[in-house]
Every structure is written in C-alpha cells, then in structure tokens.
Amino acid sequence: MKDLLNILVEKYRPLTLNGRVANYIPELSKMNPASLAIVVSDVASNTFSAGDYSMRFTLQSASKPFALALALMDNGADVVFDRIGMEPTGDSFNSLMKLETFTSLKPVNPLVNAGAIATTSLINGGSPEEKLDRLVALIRQLAPGCNIGFNRDVYLSEKQTGDRNRAIAYFLRDIKAISGAVEENLDLYFRQCSIEVDCITLATMAKTIAMDCDDANHPIPRQYRRIIRTFMFTCGMYNASGEFAINVGFPAKSGVSGAILGVVPKRYGLGVFGPALDHKGNSVAGVAMLAELSRELDLYLL
Ligand code: DON
C-alpha cells in the first residue's frame, strides 16, 4: 500500500500545476500549490502515508459532515430534515440562486453552504465557543490521540471577507430556515471551517466514519453514520459529485483548503491534501490520485 501511495504522489504532483489555490479567503492563498499528500487508514488501524502528510491545513467544508453528525445527535433526523433538504444540487458551492426559488423554503442539502449554515445553527450549546468545543470534542473522539488544532488567522480572514455566507445566512433567517443570532451562527460556521488537522488525522476521522458496527461506544450512532456517508456520496464533491461517484466510486467530502476526506465503508478512511484546486473547488491532483487508487484496489461501491 505504501509503495502505491508513493507512486500516486510522484505521478500526480505535476498535475498541481493545473490547479489554483483558493484565494477568496486571503489567508488560504498563502498555501503552497505544489503540496500533495495521501494517507490511508484501514479499519484495523494500520496507517499508510505518502507525500507531505505532516503538513497542517484547515478542514473548511470537510467539517460539514461532522457538524451534521452533531446536529443529528442533538435533534434527531426529523427535526434536521424538516429544516434542510436531502437532495444533491448542480449549483456551485456558494450559489444564492436556488435560495429564492425553493418551493420548500429550505436549503437543498446539509453540504452546500446554505444547508451547512442551517445545520450549524442546530448544534446545541450556550455560545459559539461552547458549540465549537463540542464539535472539536466529537472530532477528537473520531481521531483519538491526533492533534486537532484551530487556525485563528484563517478564521479571522474568512470572518472579515465572508460576505456571501453572510448574505446566505441572513436570507436563511428571513425564510425561517434558521433562527436566533445570525452573526453568532456565522461565527461558529467560520470557526468550524478553521479547525486544523493533518492528513493522518483526516484519514483516521474518515476510518471511524467507515466503520459500520452497531457499537454503543462509537461516537456517532450507526444510523447517522449512514446518513453522513450517503450525503458525502451524493453531494460531497459539490457540482462534481456525480462525476466523482462514477470515476472514484465512494463517499468523499472536499474543502477549499485542498482537503478530501474519503470513506470506503467497512474498509478504509482516506485523507488527501492538495491545495491546488480545479474550477469546481476540488483538489485537482487529489481527485486524480483517488481515481487511480480506486482503480488499483477496486474500491467502487456500485
Ligand atoms: O464557506 C466557505 O466559503 C468555506 N469556509 C468553506 C467552503 C468550502 O470548503 C467549499 N469547498 N469546496
């Protein structure tokens, strides 16, 4: 496995030249576009790493499945999906267009920004700090012993420049998809995006989501793990989710930092970092590495 991962990094690093680092959050533009790493963690807890696997990066949208896990555990599925839909979308990740045309007056799913902001609003806690602590505690349980940090510079950078998310959040309150203090809700959303990990941590988190056991000690109940994996499969790579499902074939969630968290149920958790992004906001070399890994190991679910 380790040899295969080394070959993938070597083969696809030149592809990073075809991508661009996200710059709409100014702090993210400082990342090195040539960075590339992949880590595989199997359910027996063997870990295989290649490339720049000790580099640290923010979760960005890869935090969304975990906010959803907490919202489900805090409220149950009926309450969550009364507020947020379950459908994939063909729109870009920060689109406002659909919001005004919803007949149901709720965001399409929990992984686009509108749905993620509504999901975050369903996390219990007395303050944004307490809610963030609960989310970080959940992530620590999923990746015990790993170093889960917080990147304050990225958080402040997004908070200062996140007007599109601000527009989405105020609109959501207007249509009653969220309630309460909009700025506090946004603050928590910006903070969850700035949780900082490395690829080993990302793969370990993914491996714990890949487990299908009905163990009462698992941090996320089995029925909610199923929901999260399904959303990752149908909506996790934004408007490239269909193509990714065909070419790679298992659930994944990307972030604009270049993170991809991949889940092969009952087998593997995958952590990828490659900040050079394609035009849909997914790691260009990361997606290529995962497609080849899937071909080599036959990881297609369908
Ligand atoms: O909402 C935002 O703009 C970011 N903090 C997270 C977006 C993101 O990672 C989208 N990913 N592909």
Side-chain angles (χ1 to χ4, degrees):
M1 178 73 90
K2 175 123 179 112
D3 290 347
L4 172 60
L5 300 183
N6 281 328
I7 289 168
L8 292 178
V9 171
E10 204 174 314
K11 179 170 174 186
Y12 289 106
R13 205 189 286 270
L15 204 62
T16 61
L17 292 170
N18 296 359
R20 292 229 173 116
V21 167
N23 59 9
Y24 75 99
I25 299 173
E27 198 61 27
L28 291 183
S29 65
K30 297 179 181 167
M31 291 185 296
N32 178 359
S35 306
L36 192 61
I38 182 164
V39 174
V40 175
S41 175
D42 67 22
V43 288
S45 291
N46 302 299
T47 300
F48 309 93
S49 315
D52 309 307
Y53 58 84
S54 50
M55 286 189 83
R56 296 182 64 75
F57 51 89
T58 52
L59 283 176
Q60 298 301 328
S61 287
S63 64
K64 292 172 182 174
F66 306 100
L68 175 61
L70 214 46
L72 286 166
M73 289 192 279
D74 284 348
N75 304 274
D78 288 349
V79 171
V80 170
F81 297 119
D82 191 44
R83 294 260 188 115
I84 303 151
M86 297 186 178
E87 298 307 326
T89 171
D91 297 330
S92 62
F93 74 85
N94 55 0
S95 176
L96 279 163
M97 196 170 60
K98 277 254 174 80
L99 286 172
E100 285 188 280
T101 58
F102 288 155
T103 45
S104 59
L105 284 183
K106 61 185 189 184
V108 279
N109 71 60
L111 298 186
V112 293
N113 283 13
I117 292 167
T119 301
T120 298
S121 79
L122 291 169
I123 293 176
N124 290 344
S127 64
E129 290 79 8
E130 190 187 328
K131 293 175 189 183
L132 182 77
D133 285 349
R134 291 189 62 235
L135 184 59
V136 172
L138 174 68
I139 293 173
R140 288 217 163 93
Q141 282 181 288
L142 296 170
C146 291
N147 181 355
I148 320 283
F150 178 72
N151 190 321
R152 195 171 165 75
D153 292 338
V154 172
Y155 156 67
L156 291 175
S157 183
E158 181 166 10
K159 195 174 162 92
Q160 275 154 20
T161 55
D163 284 343
R164 182 170 280 256
N165 283 329
R166 212 159 262 122
I168 290 173
Y170 279 98
F171 189 89
L172 289 173
R173 188 171 67 175
D174 184 65
I175 64 170
K176 302 196 173 24
I178 63 173
S179 49
V182 175
E183 290 297 334
E184 277 193 12
N185 189 158
L186 275 167
D187 189 60
L188 177 60
Y189 175 74
F190 295 145
R191 284 173 195 259
Q192 81 175 48
C193 289
S194 296
I195 294 171
E196 195 177 59
V197 298
D198 58 25
C199 262
I200 295 180
T201 306
L202 199 60
T204 311
M205 290 157 65
K207 184 256 319 217
T208 313
I209 298 289
M211 290 174 172
D212 198 40
C213 54
D214 201 5
D215 180 351
N217 294 322
H218 194 289
I220 302 174
R222 188 183 187 201
Q223 77 267 27
Y224 296 149
R225 263 175 276 151
R226 244 199 64 231
I227 291 176
I228 290 160
R229 291 193 300 251
T230 306
F231 277 121
M232 287 170 66
F233 206 24
T234 56
C235 321
M237 303 297 283
Y238 297 106
N239 41 339
S241 297
E243 194 180 332
F244 189 90
I246 290 168
N247 293 335
V248 182
F250 53 77
K253 182 74 207 83
S254 61
V256 284
S257 54
I260 305 177
L261 173 135
V263 173
V264 185
K266 302 179 197 167
R267 292 180 71 188
Y268 299 119
L270 304 160
V272 166
F273 173 57
L277 308 179
D278 62 22
H279 68 286
K280 292 186 176 172
N282 297 318
S283 172
V284 63
V287 170
M289 287 198 299
L290 290 177
E292 182 153 338
L293 187 74
S294 203
R295 281 195 298 275
E296 287 295 321
L297 303 181
D298 193 14
L299 302 179
Y300 308 103
L301 295 191
L302 302 175

